[in-house]
Amino acid sequence: DYTVGPTAFLAADLQAQKLRPAARLLKAHVLLLGSERKLDEALDQCILILRLARHFDREPMIVSYLVGVACRGIAVDAANQVLRTGPVSESLRDALEAELALHDNMEAFRWALKSERAFGMDSYRAIPGRNWWPIRAMWDDDGAAYLDVIDQQLKLASQPYSQVAAAPGPAAGSRRAVLTQLAEPAILAARAAADGNRATIRCLRVLNAFQALEQQGDAPAPKLSDLRLPAEATTDPFTGEPLKLKKLAEGWLVYSVGKDLTDDGGKLDDRRSDVGLGPLQPPDGETEKLNSDRQAD
């Protein structure tokens, strides 16, 4: 209900919150189907999670957007497990690529910013005593700085994260933009989450395309340029450079350098390091057995 005040609106049960348990339940179904080697059915469930996330992109504000980001992450992780478990049909690979292409953009992030801007300005108007003349100018300046922050992020939405990180914040050093200085780090964190999401989506697109070529026997060791993907689908959203690739004994490692903009060699077990998709890790207790088996081979 957009007619209520900001406090009541924020307290409302936004519909996107219902997506997370659905995504978790569907992933459990994916794992069950995978254990039964029903890989096409499992991959179809991953596509369903993605479709649901795209549906809920119409919900307003950054908090709803981040729920969608989390659920896309669930879908990408589940699909990575399915693709690395065994072969899937060409039609399911095509369906996965078609769905991932619909997510590989910044439209949902832009809508989150625009709806957040409307909520923010409504919140400024609801501040008790904001129109009292001794402090009205301060709140007006704060609100103007907030608009500048949103405007800056909208303009930078099409640029790599490296340019966002290098851009000076409009509210930096201002003593009359207290609330904006509190909000700006959260907005920047949402942008980093958006690029992290796009990075893993692109890694999955690359993995899917690589496996399709290998499954067809077209190229034993393909390069990014060999893939039937648009150039932006193989680009790191954090740097604007090509994604990183490593062919390991267990399979392909495809990754982005992440928000620290530093290539850590494909280290994916630390949120501050690289972002991407690697081979499946053995269950706890199986690592030593796997290493001994390799030595025996």
Side-chain angles (χ1 to χ4, degrees):
D1 183 357
Y2 290 89
T3 66
V4 301
T7 301
F9 185 84
L10 190 61
D13 181 19
L14 296 177
Q15 297 301 307
Q17 299 295 339
K18 300 177 181 179
L19 176 59
R20 196 188 302 264
R24 288 172 175 164
L25 178 61
L26 285 168
K27 182 179 179 181
H29 194 206
V30 170
L31 297 178
L32 174 62
L33 292 169
S35 70
E36 297 172 348
R37 307 296 293 184
K38 299 176 181 178
L39 299 183
D40 277 12
E41 294 179 47
L43 191 58
D44 190 54
Q45 295 295 287
C46 298
I47 295 172
L48 178 56
I49 302 174
L50 289 167
R51 290 176 59 200
L52 286 170
R54 185 160 50 86
H55 173 74
F56 281 99
D57 280 344
R58 290 176 286 191
E59 284 292 291
M61 301 177 58
I62 289 175
V63 63
S64 295
Y65 173 72
L66 292 176
V67 173
V69 166
C71 292
R72 282 184 179 85
I74 291 173
V76 168
D77 179 65
N80 182 53
Q81 294 188 52
V82 173
L83 292 180
R84 294 181 189 274
T85 298
V88 297
S89 67
E90 184 177 348
S91 62
L92 261 295
R93 287 194 186 277
D94 291 343
L96 176 62
E97 165 56 24
E99 182 62 33
L100 290 172
L102 296 175
H103 295 257
D104 194 355
N105 58 67
M106 294 293 278
E107 292 310 306
F109 179 69
R110 288 188 178 96
W111 165 238
L113 288 178
K114 291 177 180 179
S115 53
E116 192 76 29
R117 176 174 58 191
F119 176 82
M121 297 313 296
D122 209 17
S123 298
Y124 274 109
R125 297 187 188 100
I127 293 173
R130 71 151 332 266
N131 287 321
W132 185 43
W133 70 265
I135 60 172
R136 185 178 359 181
M138 181 189 73
W139 290 124
D140 286 345
D141 288 349
D142 205 333
Y146 180 75
L147 291 175
D148 288 342
V149 169
I150 299 292
D151 186 57
Q152 180 190 56
Q153 291 302 312
L154 286 170
K155 290 177 179 178
L156 290 171
S158 60
Q159 302 301 315
Y161 179 83
S162 57
Q163 294 194 23
V164 178
S174 174
R175 293 184 294 178
R176 301 177 71 167
V178 178
L179 294 184
T180 301
Q181 289 172 355
L182 293 174
E184 192 170 15
I187 295 171
L188 292 174
R191 171 59 197 260
D195 285 325
N197 213 205
R198 283 197 302 158
T200 55
I201 285 171
R202 291 179 179 184
C203 290
L204 186 60
R205 294 178 74 179
V206 168
L207 174 66
N208 187 40
F210 271 157
Q211 288 188 339
L213 287 178
E214 291 178 331
Q215 198 166 306
Q216 296 166 6
D218 288 350
K223 301 177 182 179
L224 285 175
S225 56
D226 297 326
L227 303 180
R228 303 180 184 97
L229 293 174
E232 62 269 17
T234 62
T235 300
D236 187 339
F238 285 96
T239 63
E241 299 175 357
L243 291 168
K244 307 294 184 181
L245 297 171
K246 282 188 178 181
K247 184 63 182 292
L248 307 177
E250 304 88 347
W252 286 102
L253 169 63
V254 191
Y255 68 95
S256 151
V257 300
K259 68 177 183 179
D260 65 356
L261 307 178
T262 301
D263 185 357
D264 296 304
K267 182 180 179 182
L268 306 179
D269 55 356
D270 187 338
R271 290 181 179 272
R272 293 170 294 182
S273 296
D274 301 330
V275 177
L277 301 174
L280 301 181
Q281 297 299 312
D284 292 342
E286 292 294 319
T287 303
E288 184 175 344
K289 178 178 182 299
L290 181 62
N291 289 335
S292 63
D293 290 343
R294 286 178 186 161
Q295 292 173 0
D297 292 341

